[in-house]
Every structure is written in structure tokens, then in C-alpha cells.
Amino acid sequence: MYQANWKRAVIKVGSSLIAPNNNQCSQEYLGPIAEFISTSRKQGKQVILVSSGSVAAGRGKIRHKHRPSITEKQAMAAIGQTQMMANWAGLFDFDCAQMLLTSDDLHNRSRYVNIKNTLRELLKNHALPIVNENDTVAINELKVGDNDNLAAYTALVAEADTLIICSDINGLYDADPRYNTNAQLIPEVATIDSRIYQLAGGAGSDMGTGGMQTKIQAAQKCVDSGIQTLIVNGRDKNVFTELAKGRSPGTLFIPNKSLDNARDNWLRHTLKAKGSIEIDQGAQQALLQHGASLLPSGIIKVSGQFSSGEAVNITYNNTAIAKGIVLYGATDLAAIKGLNSQNIEASLGYFLGEVAIHRDDLVLL
Ligand code: GLU
């Protein structure tokens, strides 16, 4: 069942909604989506937008033959990206924040940590992050390639609990609705197997690079990490009233584990601890009793070699009580251990943040 009480959603909007005529941005379909985002935020929910449309929006600005080259598309994206951002910004009375990412960025540990920290800071400040692929720098192997998978990666790095893919089709059908009038919409998918991929067929009508295949790939990445995923028709404004009423109007992919379990398992079992941090009694109480972040002031000793973004064991009386992902590397943590957070910058000459380990990056053992 669709969990309407989600806390953090990534909403992916495809090119066919942003630039339906494939040559410039339009607000034709964006009003109901923007209203859904604004209403959700007013309810205290957090939203991250993954928006396509930069290539389509800039298409008319770059001279090209029938099929544009990669370089021509990159130039289109560079022009179209600012228009796409302005198009969204015109629909909101809060700040929109542009984030351009590549696959390379998401697979590089320190860049991944920076993306995660920036997202966290933007959400804390009530801005709306708007993510797209950085088309200027990304070709072929550097690219995620389609914004469906980019949206899934964004949901993972943002630790979202929901991904909503807005397309120009109602969801996944049991046959191709373009050729088969009896095709039925599949309201819920509990397991993504080869049959589901077969139903997804080839690329769809979307003007972006994705079709139903990439949507299923995105859904699979998310449900495996406890993130519910919906494919809905973003052209139909009733879809957003339905969502607001707590109903799933398209195809819902049900997560195969709970989000907390997925995150905890990943931290606990998949990430290898590269060192350990011994903490004092005050910090131990703050962690165990108040679910607090670990501050440098509570650290007594740092052991092992690790960099920012790697995992360490947190020990008290030399017994591991928690595991977490550090904001600072071993050398820097050793330099700031025992210090008040306001003295971090004076000690290191830079300041990443006041915590050694953020509570969202920590699991108690
Ligand atoms: N990054 C491309 C754009 O903004 C979109 C890729 C896609 O839609 O899958 O035009």
C-alpha cells in the first residue's frame, strides 16, 4: 500500500512535461506538480526535485541537423538548464537550488559525501534542491544517462523514503497500451523480476533518454533500499489530488524491506569500519539516550587511518557501542578531539560542520 505519510520524497519530472513541444520550457503541466510540492512542504515533508528538460528547452537555440550531436546537445543543455530552473523558480515562493551531478560524482566517495551534506543543508534551510545531470561534463561512461536512474541515486544519497516518477504514461501496463486497447494498468508491484522488465518493453514515448525500462531499473534500486516508488502520469492533474488524498494513482512498487532496516543493515554490515573512535561518558549518554550526533568534544582517542565519509566503530571503555560515517578524516579528528565545535576552524583551518558523526549517519550496535 502507498505510504502517504512519507517524510522525504524525490519527485522526478521528465522532459515531456517540462518542454512538451521539445523546443522550450512550458508551464503547461507544471502547475499541479508545483502545488503538490508546496502543499507537501507545508505539511512538514521534504521534497527534492529531479528535473529533466534542459536539452529539450535549449533545442531551438543551437543550430543542428536533424539529429543533434552530443556536443550540440551539451550546448542545448547549457542554455536550457537556466531556463528550466527559471521555469520552476517562477512557480514557488521559496528558494530553488540547482545541483548538477554526474555518475562519476555519485561513485566517488568524497564527492558523494559532499552531495549528501549539501542536500542535507539545503533541506535544513527549506530550499528546494533541483537536480539534473551535469550534461556539460558527462558523456558516455561519465553519465548516469537517464534521469530515472539519476532520481534513484538521488533518493539513495538523500536517504529519501519515496520516489515519485512523473511521466507521460499512467504507469506500468500488462501489455503495451499504444498497441493493445485491452492493456490494464498494474496498480502494485511487489517483486521486480524478469517478467516486469519484459512488460516494460523498449524505450517509451518520453522525449528524455528514459523509457519504461529505466523507470523499472530506478524502482528496483529504490525498493531494494526500502524506498517506495511510484510511476504516475504527470500530465494528469487528478494524479496529484489523488496523491494528496493518500491514494496511489499509477503503479506503486512496494519496498521489500523497511527503510530503517535497509540503512541500518548497510551501515552495520556492508560498510567496513576503517578505524575506531573512543568517546567519553557524556558522549556515550548523548548517543545512547538522546539519539544525538557525536561531537568532537566527546572524543578521547582516534585509531586507524580513515578519510571523511568512511565508517568507524565508536567505542566506550574499548567496547564498540555504535558505528558511523565520519565527517572528518582520522588526522583531522585527532587534531580536534576534545575541542568545542566552535574551535574546529581555528584548529584545522577549515570547517566542514560541527559534528564528527551526524546522527543520521550512525547506528547503535
Ligand atoms: N539531462 C537531460 C536533460 O535535462 C535529461 C535526461 C533524461 O531525461 O533522462 O535534458
PDB file of all heavy atoms in Angstrom, residues 12-16 51-57 73 77 81 84 132-135 143 145-150 206-211 214, ligand 1:
ATOM      1  N   LYS A  12      10.576  13.069  -9.630  1.00  0.00           N
ATOM      2  CA  LYS A  12      11.279  13.177 -10.905  1.00  0.00           C
ATOM      3  C   LYS A  12      10.299  13.614 -11.979  1.00  0.00           C
ATOM      4  O   LYS A  12       9.229  13.014 -12.149  1.00  0.00           O
ATOM      5  CB  LYS A  12      11.916  11.819 -11.258  1.00  0.00           C
ATOM      6  CG  LYS A  12      12.791  11.870 -12.485  1.00  0.00           C
ATOM      7  CD  LYS A  12      12.095  11.345 -13.715  1.00  0.00           C
ATOM      8  CE  LYS A  12      12.924  11.559 -14.971  1.00  0.00           C
ATOM      9  NZ  LYS A  12      12.283  11.043 -16.174  1.00  0.00           N
ATOM     10  N   VAL A  13      10.645  14.673 -12.671  1.00  0.00           N
ATOM     11  CA  VAL A  13       9.763  15.183 -13.720  1.00  0.00           C
ATOM     12  C   VAL A  13      10.497  15.081 -15.064  1.00  0.00           C
ATOM     13  O   VAL A  13      11.609  15.597 -15.209  1.00  0.00           O
ATOM     14  CB  VAL A  13       9.349  16.645 -13.417  1.00  0.00           C
ATOM     15  CG1 VAL A  13       8.397  17.156 -14.488  1.00  0.00           C
ATOM     16  CG2 VAL A  13       8.675  16.734 -12.045  1.00  0.00           C
ATOM     17  N   GLY A  14       9.881  14.423 -16.016  1.00  0.00           N
ATOM     18  CA  GLY A  14      10.525  14.154 -17.307  1.00  0.00           C
ATOM     19  C   GLY A  14      10.409  15.298 -18.296  1.00  0.00           C
ATOM     20  O   GLY A  14       9.577  16.202 -18.146  1.00  0.00           O
ATOM     21  N   SER A  15      11.242  15.223 -19.318  1.00  0.00           N
ATOM     22  CA  SER A  15      11.293  16.267 -20.366  1.00  0.00           C
ATOM     23  C   SER A  15       9.937  16.515 -21.010  1.00  0.00           C
ATOM     24  O   SER A  15       9.603  17.647 -21.347  1.00  0.00           O
ATOM     25  CB  SER A  15      12.251  15.846 -21.480  1.00  0.00           C
ATOM     26  OG  SER A  15      13.552  15.739 -20.998  1.00  0.00           O
ATOM     27  N   SER A  16       9.146  15.440 -21.189  1.00  0.00           N
ATOM     28  CA  SER A  16       7.878  15.611 -21.909  1.00  0.00           C
ATOM     29  C   SER A  16       6.892  16.466 -21.115  1.00  0.00           C
ATOM     30  O   SER A  16       5.884  16.914 -21.655  1.00  0.00           O
ATOM     31  CB  SER A  16       7.258  14.245 -22.213  1.00  0.00           C
ATOM     32  OG  SER A  16       7.015  13.568 -21.003  1.00  0.00           O
ATOM     33  N   SER A  51      14.787  17.172 -12.181  1.00  0.00           N
ATOM     34  CA  SER A  51      14.097  17.685 -13.366  1.00  0.00           C
ATOM     35  C   SER A  51      14.935  17.509 -14.621  1.00  0.00           C
ATOM     36  O   SER A  51      16.090  17.906 -14.683  1.00  0.00           O
ATOM     37  CB  SER A  51      13.764  19.164 -13.169  1.00  0.00           C
ATOM     38  OG  SER A  51      13.124  19.661 -14.320  1.00  0.00           O
ATOM     39  N   SER A  52      14.321  16.932 -15.633  1.00  0.00           N
ATOM     40  CA  SER A  52      14.926  16.851 -16.961  1.00  0.00           C
ATOM     41  C   SER A  52      14.519  18.108 -17.714  1.00  0.00           C
ATOM     42  O   SER A  52      13.934  19.020 -17.146  1.00  0.00           O
ATOM     43  CB  SER A  52      14.391  15.634 -17.711  1.00  0.00           C
ATOM     44  OG  SER A  52      14.571  14.486 -16.958  1.00  0.00           O
ATOM     45  N   GLY A  53      14.794  18.115 -18.979  1.00  0.00           N
ATOM     46  CA  GLY A  53      14.246  19.167 -19.826  1.00  0.00           C
ATOM     47  C   GLY A  53      15.250  20.189 -20.310  1.00  0.00           C
ATOM     48  O   GLY A  53      14.890  21.069 -21.091  1.00  0.00           O
ATOM     49  N   SER A  54      16.503  20.120 -19.866  1.00  0.00           N
ATOM     50  CA  SER A  54      17.426  21.169 -20.277  1.00  0.00           C
ATOM     51  C   SER A  54      17.767  21.050 -21.768  1.00  0.00           C
ATOM     52  O   SER A  54      17.820  22.059 -22.477  1.00  0.00           O
ATOM     53  CB  SER A  54      18.692  21.158 -19.420  1.00  0.00           C
ATOM     54  OG  SER A  54      19.422  19.993 -19.636  1.00  0.00           O
ATOM     55  N   VAL A  55      17.938  19.832 -22.251  1.00  0.00           N
ATOM     56  CA  VAL A  55      18.254  19.659 -23.675  1.00  0.00           C
ATOM     57  C   VAL A  55      17.056  20.104 -24.517  1.00  0.00           C
ATOM     58  O   VAL A  55      17.188  20.897 -25.456  1.00  0.00           O
ATOM     59  CB  VAL A  55      18.630  18.186 -23.987  1.00  0.00           C
ATOM     60  CG1 VAL A  55      18.804  17.981 -25.483  1.00  0.00           C
ATOM     61  CG2 VAL A  55      19.906  17.791 -23.250  1.00  0.00           C
ATOM     62  N   ALA A  56      15.877  19.615 -24.120  1.00  0.00           N
ATOM     63  CA  ALA A  56      14.663  19.972 -24.867  1.00  0.00           C
ATOM     64  C   ALA A  56      14.434  21.487 -24.830  1.00  0.00           C
ATOM     65  O   ALA A  56      14.084  22.100 -25.842  1.00  0.00           O
ATOM     66  CB  ALA A  56      13.463  19.235 -24.289  1.00  0.00           C
ATOM     67  N   ALA A  57      14.685  22.106 -23.675  1.00  0.00           N
ATOM     68  CA  ALA A  57      14.428  23.542 -23.526  1.00  0.00           C
ATOM     69  C   ALA A  57      15.388  24.377 -24.362  1.00  0.00           C
ATOM     70  O   ALA A  57      15.037  25.464 -24.821  1.00  0.00           O
ATOM     71  CB  ALA A  57      14.535  23.943 -22.055  1.00  0.00           C
ATOM     72  N   LYS A  73      23.983  18.771 -28.179  1.00  0.00           N
ATOM     73  CA  LYS A  73      23.052  18.541 -27.060  1.00  0.00           C
ATOM     74  C   LYS A  73      23.595  19.166 -25.775  1.00  0.00           C
ATOM     75  O   LYS A  73      22.834  19.686 -24.955  1.00  0.00           O
ATOM     76  CB  LYS A  73      22.864  17.041 -26.834  1.00  0.00           C
ATOM     77  CG  LYS A  73      21.853  16.411 -27.742  1.00  0.00           C
ATOM     78  CD  LYS A  73      21.500  15.057 -27.164  1.00  0.00           C
ATOM     79  CE  LYS A  73      20.714  14.220 -28.125  1.00  0.00           C
ATOM     80  NZ  LYS A  73      20.682  12.832 -27.735  1.00  0.00           N
ATOM     81  N   ALA A  77      21.768  21.869 -23.556  1.00  0.00           N
ATOM     82  CA  ALA A  77      21.519  21.698 -22.119  1.00  0.00           C
ATOM     83  C   ALA A  77      22.025  22.909 -21.335  1.00  0.00           C
ATOM     84  O   ALA A  77      21.387  23.359 -20.384  1.00  0.00           O
ATOM     85  CB  ALA A  77      22.207  20.428 -21.620  1.00  0.00           C
ATOM     86  N   GLN A  81      19.248  24.648 -19.336  1.00  0.00           N
ATOM     87  CA  GLN A  81      19.264  24.431 -17.885  1.00  0.00           C
ATOM     88  C   GLN A  81      18.817  25.683 -17.115  1.00  0.00           C
ATOM     89  O   GLN A  81      18.040  25.606 -16.183  1.00  0.00           O
ATOM     90  CB  GLN A  81      20.678  23.991 -17.450  1.00  0.00           C
ATOM     91  CG  GLN A  81      20.876  23.813 -15.957  1.00  0.00           C
ATOM     92  CD  GLN A  81      20.050  22.679 -15.335  1.00  0.00           C
ATOM     93  OE1 GLN A  81      19.632  21.732 -16.023  1.00  0.00           O
ATOM     94  NE2 GLN A  81      19.800  22.779 -14.051  1.00  0.00           N
ATOM     95  N   MET A  84      15.164  26.093 -17.563  1.00  0.00           N
ATOM     96  CA  MET A  84      14.411  25.103 -16.793  1.00  0.00           C
ATOM     97  C   MET A  84      14.348  25.527 -15.315  1.00  0.00           C
ATOM     98  O   MET A  84      13.293  25.473 -14.689  1.00  0.00           O
ATOM     99  CB  MET A  84      15.080  23.738 -16.972  1.00  0.00           C
ATOM    100  CG  MET A  84      14.412  22.603 -16.263  1.00  0.00           C
ATOM    101  SD  MET A  84      15.164  22.330 -14.679  1.00  0.00           S
ATOM    102  CE  MET A  84      16.472  21.212 -15.132  1.00  0.00           C
ATOM    103  N   ASN A 132      19.780  17.800 -11.774  1.00  0.00           N
ATOM    104  CA  ASN A 132      19.803  17.298 -13.152  1.00  0.00           C
ATOM    105  C   ASN A 132      21.195  16.760 -13.420  1.00  0.00           C
ATOM    106  O   ASN A 132      22.121  16.989 -12.635  1.00  0.00           O
ATOM    107  CB  ASN A 132      19.443  18.413 -14.148  1.00  0.00           C
ATOM    108  CG  ASN A 132      19.113  17.875 -15.552  1.00  0.00           C
ATOM    109  OD1 ASN A 132      19.100  16.654 -15.790  1.00  0.00           O
ATOM    110  ND2 ASN A 132      18.849  18.781 -16.477  1.00  0.00           N
ATOM    111  N   GLU A 133      21.347  16.049 -14.504  1.00  0.00           N
ATOM    112  CA  GLU A 133      22.688  15.581 -14.874  1.00  0.00           C
ATOM    113  C   GLU A 133      23.502  16.777 -15.376  1.00  0.00           C
ATOM    114  O   GLU A 133      22.977  17.668 -16.034  1.00  0.00           O
ATOM    115  CB  GLU A 133      22.583  14.525 -15.978  1.00  0.00           C
ATOM    116  CG  GLU A 133      23.927  13.966 -16.366  1.00  0.00           C
ATOM    117  CD  GLU A 133      23.920  12.440 -16.451  1.00  0.00           C
ATOM    118  OE1 GLU A 133      22.899  11.883 -16.865  1.00  0.00           O
ATOM    119  OE2 GLU A 133      24.940  11.833 -16.088  1.00  0.00           O
ATOM    120  N   ASN A 134      24.783  16.793 -15.020  1.00  0.00           N
ATOM    121  CA  ASN A 134      25.664  17.854 -15.499  1.00  0.00           C
ATOM    122  C   ASN A 134      26.099  17.511 -16.920  1.00  0.00           C
ATOM    123  O   ASN A 134      27.154  16.938 -17.153  1.00  0.00           O
ATOM    124  CB  ASN A 134      26.874  17.981 -14.562  1.00  0.00           C
ATOM    125  CG  ASN A 134      27.680  19.218 -14.864  1.00  0.00           C
ATOM    126  OD1 ASN A 134      27.466  19.865 -15.893  1.00  0.00           O
ATOM    127  ND2 ASN A 134      28.600  19.559 -13.985  1.00  0.00           N
ATOM    128  N   ASP A 135      25.259  17.878 -17.867  1.00  0.00           N
ATOM    129  CA  ASP A 135      25.462  17.431 -19.254  1.00  0.00           C
ATOM    130  C   ASP A 135      26.732  17.991 -19.888  1.00  0.00           C
ATOM    131  O   ASP A 135      27.275  17.415 -20.821  1.00  0.00           O
ATOM    132  CB  ASP A 135      24.231  17.804 -20.099  1.00  0.00           C
ATOM    133  CG  ASP A 135      23.028  16.934 -19.765  1.00  0.00           C
ATOM    134  OD1 ASP A 135      23.175  15.706 -19.723  1.00  0.00           O
ATOM    135  OD2 ASP A 135      21.939  17.486 -19.519  1.00  0.00           O
ATOM    136  N   LYS A 143      28.303   9.412 -17.571  1.00  0.00           N
ATOM    137  CA  LYS A 143      26.893   9.776 -17.422  1.00  0.00           C
ATOM    138  C   LYS A 143      26.103   8.737 -16.633  1.00  0.00           C
ATOM    139  O   LYS A 143      26.380   7.549 -16.722  1.00  0.00           O
ATOM    140  CB  LYS A 143      26.269   9.828 -18.818  1.00  0.00           C
ATOM    141  CG  LYS A 143      25.987  11.204 -19.346  1.00  0.00           C
ATOM    142  CD  LYS A 143      25.273  11.042 -20.673  1.00  0.00           C
ATOM    143  CE  LYS A 143      24.764  12.313 -21.287  1.00  0.00           C
ATOM    144  NZ  LYS A 143      24.190  13.300 -20.459  1.00  0.00           N
ATOM    145  N   GLY A 145      23.031   8.927 -17.511  1.00  0.00           N
ATOM    146  CA  GLY A 145      22.458   8.679 -18.840  1.00  0.00           C
ATOM    147  C   GLY A 145      20.971   8.948 -18.934  1.00  0.00           C
ATOM    148  O   GLY A 145      20.494   9.364 -19.958  1.00  0.00           O
ATOM    149  N   ASP A 146      20.267   8.693 -17.880  1.00  0.00           N
ATOM    150  CA  ASP A 146      18.836   8.990 -17.901  1.00  0.00           C
ATOM    151  C   ASP A 146      18.452   9.464 -16.512  1.00  0.00           C
ATOM    152  O   ASP A 146      19.055   9.069 -15.529  1.00  0.00           O
ATOM    153  CB  ASP A 146      18.042   7.743 -18.291  1.00  0.00           C
ATOM    154  CG  ASP A 146      18.189   6.671 -17.244  1.00  0.00           C
ATOM    155  OD1 ASP A 146      17.425   6.707 -16.256  1.00  0.00           O
ATOM    156  OD2 ASP A 146      19.084   5.823 -17.369  1.00  0.00           O
ATOM    157  N   ASN A 147      17.459  10.319 -16.479  1.00  0.00           N
ATOM    158  CA  ASN A 147      17.123  10.926 -15.192  1.00  0.00           C
ATOM    159  C   ASN A 147      16.297  10.021 -14.284  1.00  0.00           C
ATOM    160  O   ASN A 147      16.103  10.345 -13.114  1.00  0.00           O
ATOM    161  CB  ASN A 147      16.417  12.265 -15.414  1.00  0.00           C
ATOM    162  CG  ASN A 147      17.433  13.387 -15.641  1.00  0.00           C
ATOM    163  OD1 ASN A 147      18.621  13.123 -15.804  1.00  0.00           O
ATOM    164  ND2 ASN A 147      16.958  14.617 -15.623  1.00  0.00           N
ATOM    165  N   ASP A 148      15.805   8.888 -14.800  1.00  0.00           N
ATOM    166  CA  ASP A 148      15.115   7.942 -13.918  1.00  0.00           C
ATOM    167  C   ASP A 148      16.129   7.339 -12.948  1.00  0.00           C
ATOM    168  O   ASP A 148      15.926   7.347 -11.729  1.00  0.00           O
ATOM    169  CB  ASP A 148      14.441   6.832 -14.731  1.00  0.00           C
ATOM    170  CG  ASP A 148      13.371   7.386 -15.662  1.00  0.00           C
ATOM    171  OD1 ASP A 148      12.627   8.273 -15.218  1.00  0.00           O
ATOM    172  OD2 ASP A 148      13.297   6.948 -16.817  1.00  0.00           O
ATOM    173  N   ASN A 149      17.228   6.838 -13.494  1.00  0.00           N
ATOM    174  CA  ASN A 149      18.265   6.274 -12.619  1.00  0.00           C
ATOM    175  C   ASN A 149      18.931   7.359 -11.782  1.00  0.00           C
ATOM    176  O   ASN A 149      19.270   7.121 -10.621  1.00  0.00           O
ATOM    177  CB  ASN A 149      19.295   5.494 -13.447  1.00  0.00           C
ATOM    178  CG  ASN A 149      18.796   4.098 -13.781  1.00  0.00           C
ATOM    179  OD1 ASN A 149      18.611   3.268 -12.896  1.00  0.00           O
ATOM    180  ND2 ASN A 149      18.534   3.840 -15.054  1.00  0.00           N
ATOM    181  N   LEU A 150      19.086   8.551 -12.356  1.00  0.00           N
ATOM    182  CA  LEU A 150      19.653   9.659 -11.572  1.00  0.00           C
ATOM    183  C   LEU A 150      18.753   9.966 -10.364  1.00  0.00           C
ATOM    184  O   LEU A 150      19.233  10.208  -9.257  1.00  0.00           O
ATOM    185  CB  LEU A 150      19.796  10.919 -12.450  1.00  0.00           C
ATOM    186  CG  LEU A 150      20.362  12.151 -11.744  1.00  0.00           C
ATOM    187  CD1 LEU A 150      21.821  11.927 -11.340  1.00  0.00           C
ATOM    188  CD2 LEU A 150      20.270  13.388 -12.634  1.00  0.00           C
ATOM    189  N   ASP A 206       8.681   8.966 -23.917  1.00  0.00           N
ATOM    190  CA  ASP A 206       9.311  10.079 -23.235  1.00  0.00           C
ATOM    191  C   ASP A 206      10.385  10.702 -24.137  1.00  0.00           C
ATOM    192  O   ASP A 206      11.149   9.990 -24.754  1.00  0.00           O
ATOM    193  CB  ASP A 206       9.980   9.522 -21.963  1.00  0.00           C
ATOM    194  CG  ASP A 206       9.958  10.525 -20.831  1.00  0.00           C
ATOM    195  OD1 ASP A 206       9.672  11.707 -21.066  1.00  0.00           O
ATOM    196  OD2 ASP A 206      10.255  10.110 -19.717  1.00  0.00           O
ATOM    197  N   MET A 207      10.438  12.039 -24.182  1.00  0.00           N
ATOM    198  CA  MET A 207      11.460  12.653 -25.031  1.00  0.00           C
ATOM    199  C   MET A 207      12.845  12.613 -24.413  1.00  0.00           C
ATOM    200  O   MET A 207      13.832  12.861 -25.074  1.00  0.00           O
ATOM    201  CB  MET A 207      11.094  14.101 -25.276  1.00  0.00           C
ATOM    202  CG  MET A 207      10.157  14.241 -26.415  1.00  0.00           C
ATOM    203  SD  MET A 207       9.685  15.923 -26.540  1.00  0.00           S
ATOM    204  CE  MET A 207       8.984  16.212 -24.977  1.00  0.00           C
ATOM    205  N   GLY A 208      12.897  12.360 -23.131  1.00  0.00           N
ATOM    206  CA  GLY A 208      14.199  12.211 -22.483  1.00  0.00           C
ATOM    207  C   GLY A 208      14.793  10.890 -22.940  1.00  0.00           C
ATOM    208  O   GLY A 208      14.294  10.247 -23.867  1.00  0.00           O
ATOM    209  N   THR A 209      15.851  10.456 -22.249  1.00  0.00           N
ATOM    210  CA  THR A 209      16.502   9.243 -22.704  1.00  0.00           C
ATOM    211  C   THR A 209      15.819   7.999 -22.151  1.00  0.00           C
ATOM    212  O   THR A 209      16.029   6.911 -22.636  1.00  0.00           O
ATOM    213  CB  THR A 209      17.978   9.259 -22.286  1.00  0.00           C
ATOM    214  OG1 THR A 209      18.111  10.181 -21.214  1.00  0.00           O
ATOM    215  CG2 THR A 209      18.850   9.654 -23.434  1.00  0.00           C
ATOM    216  N   GLY A 210      15.020   8.171 -21.114  1.00  0.00           N
ATOM    217  CA  GLY A 210      14.446   7.011 -20.442  1.00  0.00           C
ATOM    218  C   GLY A 210      13.196   6.509 -21.124  1.00  0.00           C
ATOM    219  O   GLY A 210      12.569   7.189 -21.908  1.00  0.00           O
ATOM    220  N   GLY A 211      12.850   5.289 -20.854  1.00  0.00           N
ATOM    221  CA  GLY A 211      11.561   4.741 -21.251  1.00  0.00           C
ATOM    222  C   GLY A 211      11.068   4.027 -20.014  1.00  0.00           C
ATOM    223  O   GLY A 211      11.464   4.369 -18.909  1.00  0.00           O
ATOM    224  N   THR A 214      14.063   2.109 -17.898  1.00  0.00           N
ATOM    225  CA  THR A 214      14.885   2.845 -16.924  1.00  0.00           C
ATOM    226  C   THR A 214      14.068   3.181 -15.670  1.00  0.00           C
ATOM    227  O   THR A 214      14.618   3.292 -14.578  1.00  0.00           O
ATOM    228  CB  THR A 214      15.478   4.128 -17.540  1.00  0.00           C
ATOM    229  OG1 THR A 214      14.409   4.925 -18.045  1.00  0.00           O
ATOM    230  CG2 THR A 214      16.455   3.810 -18.658  1.00  0.00           C
TER     231      THR A 214
HETATM  232  N1  GLU B   1      19.682  15.595 -18.549  1.00  0.00           N
HETATM  233  C1  GLU B   1      18.766  15.576 -19.637  1.00  0.00           C
HETATM  234  C2  GLU B   1      18.052  16.898 -19.769  1.00  0.00           C
HETATM  235  O1  GLU B   1      17.880  17.591 -18.833  1.00  0.00           O
HETATM  236  C3  GLU B   1      17.643  14.577 -19.441  1.00  0.00           C
HETATM  237  C4  GLU B   1      17.911  13.148 -19.443  1.00  0.00           C
HETATM  238  C5  GLU B   1      16.580  12.383 -19.252  1.00  0.00           C
HETATM  239  O2  GLU B   1      15.518  12.973 -19.359  1.00  0.00           O
HETATM  240  O3  GLU B   1      16.602  11.202 -18.957  1.00  0.00           O
HETATM  241  O4  GLU B   1      17.599  17.256 -20.822  1.00  0.00           O
END
